[in-house]
Amino acid sequence: MNKINLSAYQPITDIQDNIIFANNGNVILCYKGNLPEIYSLSENDFEDMHGAWFQALKSLPVGTVVHKQDIYLKKTYTSEQLPNTTFLEKATYEHFKSRGHIEHKCYLFFTLTKNKAFNNSKYVNPFRNVSKGIVQELDDNVQRFVNSVSDSVSFINNSRKMEFLPIDAMEIQHLTKGYFNGFNEGFDTDILLEKKSVNIGENHFDALAINSELCFGESVQSSKTNEKFTSEDFVFHQGFIDGLGLTLNENHIVNQILYLDDKQKWRKLLDKKIEELNKSSNFGSQNKVVLGKIQHILDQINADDNARIIRGHLNIVFWDKNPENLSRIGSKIKTEFKELDIIPYYPRGEERKNYILNSYCCFSSNFSNNDLYVTDLKHALCLFINNTNYKSDSTGIIFNDREHNIPVLKDVWDEKKKRIKARNFAIFAPTGEGKSFLANNILRQYFESGVRLVIIDLGGSYTKFAKLYPKKYTVLRYESGKNLGINPFYISDTNDLTPERLEDLSVFLFELFASDLKVTKAQSVSVKKILRHYYNNTSENHSLDGFYNFIEKNQKDLLDTLKIHPDYFNITSFLHVMSEYVGDGLYSFLFEVSEDQTYKIEDKRLIVFELDEVKDNKEILSVMLKLIKSAIQRTIWKNRAEKGIILFDEFAKQLKFDNVLESVEFYYQAIRKQNGAIGIILQSINQLPNNSTSASILENTQVIYSLNNEKGYDELVKRLNLSSHDLNQLKSIKNNLSGPRKYTEMFIKIGKESNIFRLEVPKEVYAAYLTDGQENEAIMKLFDEHNNMEKAIIQFTSKI
């Protein structure tokens, strides 16, 4: 038969749930695999996964066929998953649209065969006589098989690295049609089986296989060195045959088929083979080689009680519209095999046709003894591909994958707390590596998805991107000798005076006058009583100055009136310490305000506090942070349903001051009750003092970003308890700042999951994030001209 029309020769008689009843009497259980991301696995991970596969498959019934099928298809990126509303979103959407990449789907099939003996003839055309059909019922035999397979799949899924889920009838039909339609899209076609080639529609097919023990070199293992990322001081690992997976970058299918045989039967057969070869080994060196290999397999089987003899077959089916490309793809595959010390077999004519047709799941029990190598299950499992593409979450921040530079959405907010319990984040990178650029990218996307942002900035890195949203942002800039316009004591009416508000005010006061003391419950109650008394007796112009004067005026009988013991509130001490912030005190200008201006920030979704001028004054900075905190509590944290982020940028200098570090820790404690996150940006983790406060901050930070650091990552690894593979990932970071696709690479760890991501942005986004240099000046000049940041960026980028 040289032409097959699938509609006339249906291989499937029935599908029940994920079970195919095939026309040849086989019963096939079908699963789809969810594998870890490429580059995310360490040498130990590969070992563990190999062990999980072995434990899962070794006890399946004799006669089972296990078929793992990895399908790789060339696709173009559609951008459908990306938001496409704002100026920068549209630029990103268009920039990545139609970018080429490889789509990977992994399937796992378990076949209960009609023919347990597996004595197939050399060529089995699965479509010959197929139309008669053999219908098998869901009898006890099938039910026992289903139970065994379910146990195996549960074991694999419990390994937590992989997940295989049953697939339904529609997906099975879709897979069948795709396979026999030669992955042509938009039309149905026939399979043409010629002596020289296999053609399906516009695609020309070819295959390479491992079908004998003679194909293998000295050894196989669960992983090998990844030459691309490994350097002198670290080793990066990949799966043993990963070079034949995603990174091949061609249309192809990797079929790994295992026949789980009777151990004793194959031991006898191997004994017999050795006996024959011993007699003829004097006749040539090839016989000696074969004898050595078979003797080695038999020795392994006899030495290991756990050994499970299998016959196996691995093939790679590949295709292209241009038949001349097949030899080029074949050469790439052979080169990969050569690196593994494996010599593939090249099937021609009838053999090739046989391999391509029988690599469909219903027919994978059709291979003959001549198509199969004999080995131990552990050996064969080294040829499994255990990773896949980078995975996008349904929502998140856009980064890029390391393989094709296509967008990957990472949910670093984690609403349902699947990966992280605290969504606080930290960015680590030395000067010039792009910390602010990365922070702009994260914050801008959060902002556009409806999250409210408060940025406490000492470097002026965010005003430019803020200007893209003219009515939604405000910048409060500290200038020497002036206040920020925040009055923590201001209330618009008595309803504002809630227990929470009194609590916040009392904390604010204690931080000002007793920042180095542990506050007792009795002291806290006392201050709240005095505050209520002050508000009850003062109808307007509430301020720190007014509160101070009220206490000073009533100091003789205040404690008696409120029944407060003098031990619980020391009026003399309070008036002495607080005198610095009122009247003609040194820092009184910070609180000189009659009207509270926090209303200015109440309806803004992007608030930037620029404290550049204050960064070296411990006292003023500390008070500023307390004032900002009070403003945040009264505006942003009012609505707990609203998501909010507070970012501390360029914060290294201030972290030397204890009271500043404690002030930041307060945010970490308070944010737990809110629907929010805190971010800190540091040049090095060493800028966080090594004390319990810092430890608490790091413990509550579960999203870590690190950019390239030429000085190394030892401290980062030590203080964040990173794994050796995390360190290998960090060391493998390489930026590419030339050519058409410029990108920086970064390490991102979300909870326990880590990988290297890229950041590539369109020119409009690049212009929006620039924070210094001539290009930035040119854009700001255009902005001054147009008073419109979008116009300025469009004009600037049109010249690039």
Side-chain angles (χ1 to χ4, degrees), residues 206 318 322-334 346:
D206 212 338
F318 52 98
N322 182 351
E324 280 150 34
N325 275 340
L326 291 180
S327 59
R328 177 187 59 79
I329 301 167
S331 295
K332 271 169 87 172
I333 295 168
K334 284 174 199 163
Y346 182 36

Side-chain angles (χ1 to χ4, degrees), residues 15-271:
I15 302 174
Q16 295 177 23
D17 299 325
N18 68 321
I19 306 170
I20 299 176
F21 293 91
N23 248 321
N24 57 8
N26 284 349
V27 176
I28 304 99
L29 272 66
C30 311
Y31 295 86
K32 189 174 185 177
N34 183 9
L35 301 175
E37 290 180 344
I38 190 167
Y39 309 131
S40 69
L41 299 169
S42 68
E43 184 178 14
N44 286 343
D45 292 329
F46 286 113
E47 279 290 317
D48 293 347
M49 291 169 84
H50 180 270
W53 276 115
F54 179 72
Q55 292 300 330
L57 302 184
K58 70 172 186 180
S59 305
L60 283 166
V62 167
T64 302
V65 177
V66 178
H67 179 181
K68 183 168 180 292
Q69 185 172 68
D70 291 277
I71 301 174
Y72 299 91
L73 303 175
K74 282 186 171 181
K75 296 280 183 183
T76 53
Y77 187 73
T78 62
S79 287
E80 275 169 14
Q81 207 183 356
L82 304 183
N84 189 23
T85 311
T86 67
F87 169 58
L88 296 184
E89 283 175 350
K90 285 176 181 168
T92 305
Y93 183 94
E94 289 303 327
H95 180 74
F96 291 108
K97 199 174 172 186
S98 303
R99 180 165 291 192
H101 67 107
I102 296 288
E103 179 186 278
H104 173 212
K105 285 187 177 152
C106 166
Y107 296 99
L108 185 61
F109 306 106
F110 297 87
T111 303
L112 173 65
T113 54
K114 202 74 178 149
N115 164 20
K116 283 274 170 31
F118 290 138
N119 295 328
N120 295 316
S121 55
K122 177 72 177 151
Y123 302 123
V124 181
N125 185 330
F127 287 101
R128 195 166 290 140
N129 305 323
V130 83
S131 52
K132 291 176 189 170
I134 308 160
V135 180
Q136 186 162 335
E137 298 300 319
L138 194 58
D139 58 18
D140 290 350
N141 191 22
V142 174
Q143 196 54 60
R144 274 196 301 277
F145 180 70
V146 169
N147 294 344
S148 298
V149 169
S150 295
D151 288 348
S152 282
V153 171
S154 294
F155 192 92
I156 297 168
N157 291 349
N158 285 340
S159 72
R160 297 202 172 163
K161 289 271 189 299
M162 309 173 269
E163 184 182 36
F164 284 86
L165 299 170
I167 53 178
D168 60 19
M170 192 181 283
E171 190 161 359
I172 292 166
Q173 295 283 19
H174 182 72
L175 175 65
T176 302
K177 186 174 178 186
Y179 192 89
F180 290 111
N181 206 42
F183 301 97
N184 289 284
E185 289 182 359
F187 61 89
D188 289 348
T189 187
D190 297 330
I191 303 174
L192 300 175
L193 305 165
E194 308 294 340
K195 278 277 182 218
K196 289 183 180 174
S197 67
V198 173
N199 299 349
I200 310 178
E202 295 175 348
N203 293 332
H204 300 263
F205 282 72
D206 212 338
L208 283 162
I210 300 172
N211 65 346
S212 151
E213 307 85 75
L214 296 177
C215 295
F216 292 105
E218 281 301 304
S219 65
V220 297
Q221 60 237 33
S222 59
S223 68
K224 68 183 274 281
T225 301
N226 179 319
E227 302 299 342
K228 185 176 170 188
F229 296 121
T230 295
S231 78
E232 287 171 18
D233 63 334
F234 73 99
V235 177
F236 205 90
H237 279 84
Q238 65 180 53
F240 189 64
I241 69 158
D242 278 4
L244 298 164
L246 272 178
T247 52
L248 194 64
N249 229 357
E250 302 289 350
N251 284 313
H252 69 292
I253 302 173
V254 179
N255 292 294
Q256 169 72 326
I257 299 162
L258 309 177
Y259 287 35
L260 302 182
D261 285 316
D262 177 2
K263 184 172 176 175
Q264 302 311 325
K265 173 185 162 189
W266 281 99
R267 189 181 269 166
K268 284 175 196 156
L269 269 167
L270 288 171
D271 279 335

Side-chain angles (χ1 to χ4, degrees), residues 727-751:
L727 178 58
N728 287 342
Q729 287 177 327
L730 282 159
K731 286 179 173 177
S732 76
I733 288 174
K734 287 187 178 91
N735 296 337
N736 175 21
L737 302 174
S738 59
R741 287 191 190 176
K742 298 180 183 70
Y743 59 80
T744 49
E745 287 196 330
M746 77 209 75
F747 168 83
I748 304 180
K749 185 156 193 170
I750 307 168

